[in-house]
Amino acid sequence: MFDRLAAGSCLYDYPAESLAKLKALVPQGGRVLDVGCGDGTIGATFDSDLHVSFDISPRCASLAASRGQAALVADAASGLPFADAAFDTVACMDVLHHLGQAWDAVFSELDRVLRPGGALVIIEPDARNPFVRWTQAPGSPIRVAPCDDEPAIDPAALLPHLEGRGYASELTATNIDGAQVERAVFPLWQRLLKAPFVLGLAWWCRGRPSKFAIVARKPA
Ligand SMILES: C[S@@+](CC[C@H](N)C(=O)[O-])C[C@H]1O[C@@H](n2cnc3c(N)ncnc32)[C@H](O)[C@@H]1O
């Protein structure tokens, strides 16, 4: 699906304000790993000494490489091709909601490659916002999310995975805008049918944060 969505040169169109918010959440400098990097647009804003990106989609990895990143194809839920404690920061932005069945395996690998005292930054669609929850829920008649199994996340479900590993987590809610560039996932008639409900719910939920961010410090 992401190979198809990234058929052009961009997966999402992020306004400068959203890119600045994302950058501010990620500690700058040092060795950064960008998990599920997409087209590399966000990573391209980082000031790091070493920026490594990977994605399960070959098309996304090649776009990230075209933006100057050391990018490779890898699966976050399998063994990662990096040494233990190789990174000062691991950023995992908008990826975990695709990997609900594999969180244990993913966290084990992210924890292994992050150095003690390093930061794990997670950003995800916030299921506490009804608009986000219902437009992403699998089987929802007003689903607009492109994949049929990418439910938004309640941060309360994620935090135990971090606390169980001794991480100190800080949770914030934030609004990040990023429009999907390839829009033709659903046929036109479906989009027209859903539009009144989607727009009504968007109006009702206006002002509520669409994402949450967790910045979690690994014990030193
Ligand atoms: C919603 S996009 C987010 C892209 C980018 N991080 C951003 O915030 O713009 C999700 C990305 O996760 C990637 N992805 C999904 N499953 C993955 C996996 N198992 N391992 C690595 N990347 C994965 C997809 O290919 C896609 O690029």
Side-chain angles (χ1 to χ4, degrees), residues 2 12 14 36-38 42 55-57 74-76 93-94 98-99:
F2 282 96
Y12 303 105
Y14 287 110
C37 58
I42 300 175
D55 203 286
I56 201 166
S57 147
D75 179 353
M93 299 178 281
D94 256 348
H98 291 284
L99 301 173

Side-chain angles (χ1 to χ4, degrees), residues 29-63:
R31 302 158 300 168
V32 178
L33 177 65
D34 189 346
V35 176
C37 58
D39 64 18
T41 300
I42 300 175
T45 67
F46 295 171
D47 301 319
S48 45
D49 302 320
L50 172 71
H51 186 108
V52 178
S53 303
F54 77 88
D55 203 286
I56 201 166
S57 147
R59 174 78 189 145
C60 286
S62 103
L63 285 174

Side-chain angles (χ1 to χ4, degrees), residues 168-189:
S169 300
E170 197 178 317
L171 169 68
T172 51
T174 183
N175 250 317
I176 303 288
D177 297 318
Q180 195 172 292
V181 173
E182 171 57 70
R183 297 204 147 271
V185 176
F186 297 98
L188 181 63
W189 68 267

Side-chain angles (χ1 to χ4, degrees), residues 73-219:
V73 178
D75 179 353
S78 305
L80 293 179
F82 309 116
D84 294 358
F87 297 98
D88 302 299
T89 299
V90 173
C92 189
M93 299 178 281
D94 256 348
V95 181
L96 291 173
H97 66 283
H98 291 284
L99 301 173
Q101 305 306 313
W103 281 357
D104 274 338
V106 174
F107 278 118
S108 292
E109 274 303 90
L110 302 190
D111 179 54
R112 182 183 67 74
V113 301
L114 181 63
R115 73 158 166 83
L120 172 59
V121 180
I122 294 168
I123 294 158
E124 289 295 333
D126 195 334
R128 297 171 299 179
N129 176 329
F131 174 79
V132 177
R133 185 166 69 248
W134 289 111
T135 55
Q136 289 205 202
S140 163
I142 57 164
R143 180 168 70 84
V144 297
C147 306
D148 56 11
D149 188 16
E150 53 166 320
I153 298 175
D154 187 321
L158 268 186
L159 289 170
H161 290 267
L162 297 163
E163 284 154 9
R165 292 179 164 83
Y167 283 59
S169 300
E170 197 178 317
L171 169 68
T172 51
T174 183
N175 250 317
I176 303 288
D177 297 318
Q180 195 172 292
V181 173
E182 171 57 70
R183 297 204 147 271
V185 176
F186 297 98
L188 181 63
W189 68 267
Q190 270 192 27
R191 281 184 281 156
L192 289 174
L193 209 60
K194 290 174 192 175
F197 304 98
V198 172
L199 294 174
L201 192 56
W203 180 84
W204 186 59
C205 297
R206 68 196 181 285
R208 295 194 199 208
S210 57
K211 308 269 182 185
F212 66 83
I214 296 173
V215 180
R217 280 276 162 199
K218 181 170 175 171

